[in-house]
Amino acid sequence: MTTLLERPPRTVAPTDRQVRRQNRLAWIARHSLAIVLAIMFLTPVGYLLLISVMTSDQALTSDYWPNTWHFDNYVRVFQVTPLPRYLLNTVIYAVLATAFMLLSSVPAAYALAKLRFRGRNAMFLAVICVMMLPPQVVTVPLYLMWARYGLTGSLTPLIVPMLFGDAFCIFLLRQFLLTIPSDYLDAARVDGCGEWRTLIRVVLPMARPGIAAAGLFQFFYAWNDYYGPLLYTSENERSWTLSLGLASFHGVHHVDWNLVTAATVLAMAPIVVVFFFAQKAFVQGVTLTGVKG
Amino acid sequence: MRLRRNLTTLSFLAPALIGIAVFFVYPLLSAVYFSFTKFDLLTVPQWVGLANYRRMADDPYLLQSIRNTLWMVVVFVPVRIISAIGLSMLLTQIKRGAGFFRTIFYLPALAPPVAATIAFVYLLKPGTGPVNTFLGHLGIEGPLWFNSPEWSKPSLVLLGLWGIGDIMIIFLAAVLGVSPSLYEAASLDGANAWHRFRYVTLPSIRPVILFATVTGVIYTLQYFDQAAVAGSIASGQAVTGAGISSSFGFPEGSTFTYPLWLYTVGFRYNALGYANAMAVALFVVALAVTVILLRRSKAFSGEDQ
């Protein structure tokens, strides 16, 4: 995210006025297009924000602008449904999945990137295959496996597997670790560090940006996950995550769209916050270690 | 000494190896075995040979779900890639506020699919939605979007374009990585902007296009969340938790993607043997697509670069 966008070098030397005018027109056209597109990209979110502070009745009309502003909708969503519970479940899932994934995937990625052993390529191929496999292929056998131990209806079947690595994150971390020069590791080994110590003392500090990236991907994935929670928790509302509980705002005769949109905004907000917060950490990591990801 | 080194290596790999065995190899073999059996949650699998596979041939819903998924592969994937290339080219041409625009275009890709889908169904509501109201002001009668069988999949494409940021970033890095000297050489040869794009940029980013195509197809083969939620919200059922599967495919089965039908067969009708036969077929297709990527792409080779 650090690279400033370079423009391809000027190709035509602006000698006469015509060329300059043409360039200026092109500049205006490009920026206008970008602005129009940016407005279009922002519209859905802006519109959600406006609907979320309307009354329930006005949210059913075609109005763009709230007649009266009801910021209390954001308080009400927590009162009229088990939203606090959904939020807590989502946080538990995202945080534990991310922590477990890092614990199990970093060593595996390190071995695949920096250690020589027989069967390394086969193992890497297996990781790629798991990464590319649509989850629906193994859904039924896995569901039956968890059901046998009575663990369906909870988030356990989504969190526990993370203790055993996540294929996409292993792949991502490996690609990052390949960029770390092996000289550093050799130096550590010559100094008498074992492999684990080399990993923890030498590699981890240098791999911070890669680890941050993998952790973020996993966190966002779990936060946004719908298929997994639907499969394993839909039978037990106490384990629902945000994505399952988002649209459970029914009035007497109709859907309370103002509350649905408020909950939707609440589901999106942490992602935006984490992104801006982590973007900085990410940039810092890249500049601090001097490793270009 | 050597034994000790092997044990150390194994200690690094053990969790991942167990994970691949328990959560990939075992369920995959189970799925293959189950696909030759008939059972539900309460009964023991009974061997029925190829009956499930024969049943696939004359299941009208299955054929419809394959058609829907194919439509998504043929339209959704290319539209997203072409738009992402266009957007990344535009971003490289912009000097003022490039970072700002990049963030605006990228962020929607991180939005939870369920939240984004709810937003879009609401934006495109036929009667009172702002998009059709706006079109009405222009004297255009807007389509029924998510509520009509013809427009439901194009509406999903629109939703997918809003979340284009992830592949846009990949293409942006690729376009910025093209060597400036190539552009200079082309300009000296009298190439105009289109020529430079056609003969310099495109060939340079070809590997990335391949990567985006393959991952796009894989993504489309497992396309579930948006299709499920769009059907539920547009049908007025407005449920994203338990009971959502009763509105799968709305309207008229037009949003029944293959994974949606698989889920319905397995977890609504409890035909677990048949669902596994569908899963095996999906695996074969996904594997074929993956092999294409592995054979053509350097980034995925097991060797150090």
Side-chain angles (χ1 to χ4, degrees), chain A residues 80-103:
Chain A
V80 295
T81 65
L83 198 75
R85 178 181 294 282
Y86 303 154
L87 190 64
L88 182 70
N89 287 336
T90 311
V91 169
I92 290 172
Y93 174 28
V95 169
L96 285 182
T98 306
F100 289 175
M101 179 282 293
L102 287 176
L103 277 178

Side-chain angles (χ1 to χ4, degrees), chain A residues 1 30 36-37 41-42 78 85 96 105 111 115 118 121 124 127 154 173 183 186 257-258 268:
Chain A
M1 299 283 173
R30 279 197 300 264
V36 169
L37 284 171
F41 268 73
L42 285 171
F78 284 97
R85 178 181 294 282
L96 285 182
S105 302
L115 298 179
R118 236 186 313 175
N121 283 354
F124 184 59
V127 170
S154 74
L173 287 162
D183 306 352
D186 294 334
W257 283 107
N258 54 341
M268 288 182 177

Side-chain angles (χ1 to χ4, degrees), chain B:
Chain B
M1 198 63 203
R2 211 159 130 206
L3 178 72
R4 207 179 121 190
R5 209 174 58 212
N6 284 341
L7 281 176
T8 311
T9 306
L10 194 63
S11 71
F12 279 89
L13 291 168
L17 283 171
I18 294 171
I20 290 172
V22 175
F23 301 111
F24 176 71
V25 178
Y26 157 75
L28 197 61
L29 296 175
S30 299
V32 174
Y33 165 72
F34 285 146
S35 72
F36 298 109
T37 64
K38 186 174 192 292
F39 70 113
D40 58 38
L41 278 171
L42 305 170
T43 58
V44 181
Q46 280 183 315
W47 189 264
V48 292
L50 288 168
N52 288 324
Y53 291 96
R54 271 199 291 274
R55 184 175 159 188
M56 283 169 81
D58 44 32
D59 173 353
Y61 292 101
L62 177 78
L63 290 179
Q64 188 177 27
S65 73
I66 292 175
R67 269 202 304 274
N68 286 335
T69 293
L70 268 180
W71 189 99
M72 293 297 275
V73 168
V74 171
V75 178
F76 188 76
V77 177
V79 165
R80 252 174 73 98
I81 289 178
I82 292 166
S83 311
I85 294 176
L87 210 51
S88 61
M89 291 303 289
L90 177 69
L91 276 178
T92 53
Q93 302 287 321
I94 281 183
K95 259 198 156 145
R96 286 272 162 107
F100 165 79
F101 284 121
R102 197 182 47 205
T103 306
I104 297 281
F105 295 151
Y106 178 62
L107 265 182
L110 300 176
V114 175
T117 309
I118 290 174
F120 263 69
V121 174
Y122 200 81
L123 275 169
L124 297 171
K125 256 170 68 172
T128 53
V131 172
N132 275 8
T133 311
F134 179 74
L135 288 174
H137 292 318
L138 300 176
I140 304 166
E141 199 183 328
L144 297 176
W145 300 112
F146 284 106
N147 287 70
S148 79
E150 295 78 27
W151 281 91
S152 58
K153 282 191 289 287
S155 305
L156 288 173
V157 172
L158 272 186
L159 171 61
L161 283 179
W162 189 59
I164 205 169
D166 48 356
I167 51 171
M168 181 201 75
I169 291 286
I170 296 172
F171 277 117
L172 191 60
V175 169
L176 289 171
V178 179
S179 157
S181 60
L182 289 175
Y183 288 117
E184 277 163 32
S187 300
L188 287 177
D189 292 341
N192 61 24
W194 165 247
H195 286 146
R196 284 199 301 275
F197 173 73
R198 171 75 186 74
Y199 297 107
V200 179
T201 317
L202 264 189
S204 306
I205 63 171
R206 188 167 294 147
V208 185
I209 295 177
L210 173 78
F211 172 81
T213 307
V214 170
T215 49
V217 171
I218 295 279
Y219 172 78
T220 311
L221 288 178
Q222 47 181 271
Y223 192 78
F224 183 96
D225 307 7
Q226 292 89 340
V229 175
S232 168
I233 305 282
S235 70
Q237 191 207 24
V239 165
T240 50
I244 188 174
S245 62
S246 60
S247 58
F248 276 179
F250 179 89
E252 294 171 43
S254 63
T255 56
F256 246 130
T257 60
Y258 192 91
L260 236 54
W261 181 235
L262 199 161
Y263 187 93
T264 309
V265 165
F267 295 98
R268 193 152 174 240
Y269 302 139
N270 267 327
L272 295 176
Y274 184 44
N276 274 305
M278 287 181 66
V280 171
L282 179 62
F283 174 69
V284 170
V285 174
L287 191 68
V289 175
T290 307
V291 167
I292 293 172
L293 179 70
L294 289 176
R295 296 189 54 169
R296 303 278 308 268
S297 168
K298 272 206 191 82
F300 290 91
S301 69
E303 303 306 320
D304 289 340
Q305 292 129 38

